[in-house]
Amino acid sequence: MGNVFSHPATIIVVIILIILLFGAPKLPGMARSLGQSMRIFKSEVEGMKNDAKKDKEENEQKTETVTAEVVDNGKSEK
């Protein structure tokens, strides 16, 4: 079938159709909200990456050795 957007004319036709469907006055608002959504998404992805790094560092630092001692309390089973 081929790549639909391989030819520049198809991209121009799609842009013209979008302008006709949504109207020129609504396009700046739509682009603005799309940009805000992209920024929010990127910041959330970065936050998740930072949280993962922080969790990994904390897990590496929490390697403690626990020692215990058995104490005889004087009660023995016979």
Side-chain angles (χ1 to χ4, degrees):
M1 188 160 131
N3 193 356
V4 177
F5 295 106
S6 62
H7 197 273
T10 56
I11 296 172
I12 294 171
V13 170
V14 169
I15 291 172
I16 290 172
L17 285 174
I18 290 172
I19 291 172
L20 290 175
L21 286 175
F22 295 108
K26 292 184 182 179
L27 286 179
M30 290 173 58
R32 193 175 307 117
S33 65
L34 179 65
Q36 288 175 347
S37 299
M38 293 283 289
R39 281 192 295 276
I40 292 170
F41 182 74
K42 285 181 182 180
S43 67
E44 291 297 323
V45 169
E46 287 296 321
M48 290 175 64
K49 286 180 183 178
N50 291 338
D51 288 345
K53 286 179 184 177
K54 193 181 302 181
D55 288 343
K56 184 178 178 182
E57 290 172 0
E58 288 176 2
N59 287 337
E60 289 174 353
Q61 292 175 355
K62 288 184 179 179
T63 55
E64 299 176 5
T65 304
V66 178
T67 58
E69 184 178 321
V70 178
V71 179
D72 185 15
N73 59 2
K75 297 180 183 178
S76 61
E77 291 184 28
K78 292 184 181 179

